[in-house]
């Protein structure tokens, strides 16, 4: 009988060890919450780092928004100025691009006819967006004339507002719609070569 009770005793201890051993997979709620909080914090830090790198890349590559290609004695220049939401004030980084654009046009296409085409993202009413796009186009036109030294009769301004078939990112507004909030400069006539 002693052997039977010792076997039962060892069996009980074995079951108890297995039962308690199975509990090692459980985590206290406070430890779980702390781990989740740390993961979320790390995720936010990584997102901030990604956002900072993205912004730095946009600034470094902004100089390439003005592309100058020389072909057979002619120069083609593509420049775009972007705007903040509901604003028509030129940003400093765009002024630099417009300065470069005006210099190229003065030196290589003094007789060119240029149209500043104003656009908005789709937020706001159609009438408001049409007015805002015109204000943006006029801001670029005025800058090219007053600061860039281009002749007033060679730079025009036109508003397209939120026209759908000209949105760079269809339907986007806010941070994602900045590409839609722009003035594109179009060379209607390059002048004589």
């Amino acid at each position: 009988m002693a052997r039977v009770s010792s076997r039962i005793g060892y069996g009980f201890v074995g079951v108890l060890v297995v039962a308690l051993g199975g509990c090692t997979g459980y985590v206290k709620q406070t430890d779980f919450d702390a781990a989740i909080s740390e993961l979320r914090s790390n995720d936010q830090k990584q997102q901030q780092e990604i956002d900072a790198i993205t912004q730095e890349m946009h600034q470094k590559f902004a100089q390439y928004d003005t592309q100058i290609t020389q072909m057979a004695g002619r120069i083609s220049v593509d420049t775009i100025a972007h705007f903040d939401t509901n604003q028509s004030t030129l940003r400093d980084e765009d002024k630099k691009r417009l300065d470069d654009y005006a210099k190229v046009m003065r030196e290589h296409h003094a007789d060119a006819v240029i149209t500043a085409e104003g656009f908005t993202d789709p937020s706001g009413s159609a009438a408001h967006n049409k007015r805002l796009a015109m204000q943006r186009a006029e801001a670029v036109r005025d800058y090219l004339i007053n600061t860039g030294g281009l002749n007033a009769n060679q730079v025009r301004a036109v508003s397209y507002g939120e026209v759908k078939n000209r949105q760079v990112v269809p339907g986007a507004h806010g941070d994602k719609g900045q590409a839609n909030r722009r003035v594109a400069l179009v060379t209607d006539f390059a002048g004589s070569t």
Side-chain angles (χ1 to χ4, degrees):
M1 189 101 159
R3 287 184 175 194
V4 173
S5 65
S6 66
R7 284 186 185 167
I8 292 174
Y10 287 128
F12 177 73
V13 171
V15 169
L16 185 61
V17 167
V18 169
L20 291 177
C23 290
T24 61
Y26 292 105
V27 176
K28 292 181 183 178
Q29 184 67 39
T30 55
D31 293 341
F32 176 79
D33 291 343
I36 294 298
S37 178
E38 183 179 345
L39 288 171
R40 286 183 178 148
S41 176
N42 288 340
D43 187 46
Q44 288 175 347
K45 287 178 187 174
Q46 288 177 345
Q47 187 60 49
Q48 289 172 349
E49 289 174 6
I50 290 169
D51 291 345
I53 290 169
T54 301
Q55 184 174 2
E56 182 180 342
M57 286 176 54
H58 283 292
Q59 289 172 350
K60 286 187 178 184
F61 290 111
Q63 62 186 325
Y64 300 111
D65 281 349
T66 302
Q67 298 175 350
I68 302 172
T69 307
Q70 189 168 6
M71 294 186 282
R74 300 199 61 191
I75 292 180
S76 170
V77 182
D78 298 319
T79 298
I80 295 177
H82 290 98
F83 294 84
D84 294 327
T85 301
N86 208 27
Q87 297 294 314
S88 61
T89 304
L90 283 169
R91 302 175 315 161
D92 289 338
E93 58 264 32
D94 293 317
K95 289 177 182 179
K96 172 68 174 117
R97 276 182 249 142
L98 293 174
D99 290 340
D100 293 343
Y101 176 85
K103 179 180 177 187
V104 169
M105 297 310 285
R106 278 192 327 269
E107 291 177 3
H108 300 281
H109 297 288
D111 298 328
V113 176
I114 302 154
T115 300
E117 298 180 339
F119 298 93
T120 65
D121 64 29
S123 61
S125 70
H128 172 75
N129 288 340
K130 192 83 166 165
R131 281 190 305 274
L132 180 59
M134 181 54 89
Q135 291 169 353
R136 290 173 176 171
E138 289 171 344
V140 169
R141 180 199 63 207
D142 293 347
Y143 186 85
L144 290 173
I145 293 167
N146 298 329
T147 305
L150 298 180
N151 294 322
N153 61 352
Q154 77 182 111
V155 185
R156 307 171 188 168
V158 66
S159 170
Y160 287 100
E162 62 184 68
V163 65
K164 290 181 181 177
N165 68 346
R166 297 288 302 271
Q167 291 178 14
V168 176
V169 183
H173 53 83
D175 291 341
K176 294 180 181 179
Q178 185 167 23
N180 293 333
R181 297 186 302 271
R182 70 194 189 283
V183 170
L185 294 171
V186 176
T187 306
D188 295 316
F189 173 70
S192 56
T193 56

